[in-house]
Amino acid sequence: MARADLDKHPTDVRRMFDGVAKRYDLTNDVLSLGQDRRWRREVIDAVDPQYGERVLDLAAGTGTSSEPFDERGARVVPCDFSLGMLQVGKKARPHLPFTAGDGTQLPFADATFDAVTISFGLRNIVDPLAGLREMRRVTKPGGRLVVCEFSHPTWAPFRTVYVEYLMKALPPVARAVSSAPDAYVYLAESIRAWPDQAGLAALVAEAGWTSPEWRNLSGGIVALHRAHA
């Protein structure tokens, strides 16, 4: 299967990410025009990892998002349900404890982590609300949640241009640089169908997290949501 449908069947989505794993980081860099590096820095600053803290980096893929936590002295656990992603990541970053896990059934005990973060992966979980509840379960009381996810641009004219880019320009660019370009059609559709900033904040609160708030990045293309257990 080259493209997952919007029902997000876990097996289909897993196969999709297995297929894009080898060139995933390069493709993201090209498609985001390099903005993904800035977004990762914003996530690190929002989590503010302290030395020795345990951090769960969910939907970590190849571990690109996890390595900065390790460099700051946190005990980061990169977790993903795509074995293809984990295999590529382990070859590149053998010092990180990559762990296979489903976002709706995390393989960790209650209250294990000081902070949990997920970047551009929540919308790919088959049940995002269940995923957010699982993240809260494995977070210590008072611990932090940081969600970095595509959102809705705040300026209406730009929002129209952005949607046009997603649906028309993104697929041909992906064909030039990705190992499985059809998968990016699914990703574009999943971004367009995703809730806006306030909608995601409401979902975070429904999952039991307290004081959800968000900050827009790149004009609302991405939103950084934060909350506490």
Side-chain angles (χ1 to χ4, degrees):
M1 189 212 71
R3 173 177 172 253
D5 62 33
L6 287 177
D7 289 336
K8 296 189 296 188
H9 189 281
T11 301
D12 290 344
V13 177
R14 184 182 298 112
R15 288 174 181 167
M16 181 191 72
F17 279 102
D18 287 347
V20 301
K22 290 183 179 180
R23 304 187 72 183
Y24 185 69
D25 293 327
L26 170 64
T27 305
N28 286 346
D29 203 36
V30 171
L31 293 178
S32 71
L33 305 178
Q35 287 294 297
D36 59 318
R37 286 169 285 179
R38 177 201 162 199
W39 298 333
R40 283 197 297 271
R41 289 195 297 269
E42 295 282 358
V43 169
I44 298 296
D45 291 343
V47 174
D48 190 23
Q50 303 301 303
Y51 185 86
E53 282 191 326
R54 300 197 69 183
V55 177
L56 174 62
D57 186 16
L58 191 57
T62 63
T64 301
S65 59
S66 306
E67 198 159 40
F69 291 106
D70 181 70
E71 291 170 349
R72 291 202 185 185
R75 294 181 291 165
V76 63
V77 176
C79 182
D80 202 286
F81 77 155
S82 166
L83 295 181
M85 288 285 191
L86 295 174
Q87 289 166 355
V88 172
K90 195 63 177 178
K91 288 181 180 178
R93 303 172 179 89
H95 58 289
L96 294 180
F98 287 90
T99 303
D102 185 328
T104 62
Q105 294 179 312
L106 293 173
F108 309 107
D110 295 356
T112 297
F113 297 97
D114 298 286
V116 176
T117 183
I118 182 169
S119 295
F120 310 110
L122 183 60
R123 74 183 189 285
N124 296 317
I125 294 178
V126 63
D127 185 342
L129 179 59
L132 286 165
R133 285 173 173 158
E134 268 293 272
M135 292 178 222
R136 188 181 184 281
R137 178 186 67 78
V138 302
T139 303
K140 296 176 182 177
R144 294 102 68 199
L145 170 72
V146 174
V147 177
C148 186
E149 188 54 87
F150 289 109
S151 195
H152 293 215
T154 54
W155 189 43
F158 176 64
R159 188 183 308 128
T160 301
V161 172
Y162 175 64
V163 171
E164 289 294 310
Y165 168 75
L166 282 177
M167 301 312 300
K168 293 183 179 179
L170 187 149
V173 173
R175 278 193 291 273
V177 296
S178 173
S179 54
D182 287 346
Y184 285 86
V185 177
Y186 157 80
L187 293 176
E189 291 178 356
S190 70
I191 292 169
R192 187 172 64 172
W194 188 245
D196 64 9
Q197 291 86 329
L200 180 52
L203 197 67
V204 170
E206 185 179 350
W209 296 89
T210 62
S211 304
E213 59 182 15
W214 72 86
R215 182 162 60 89
N216 290 314
L217 305 177
S218 302
I221 289 176
V222 166
L224 201 63
H225 284 71
R226 294 184 290 183
H228 288 83

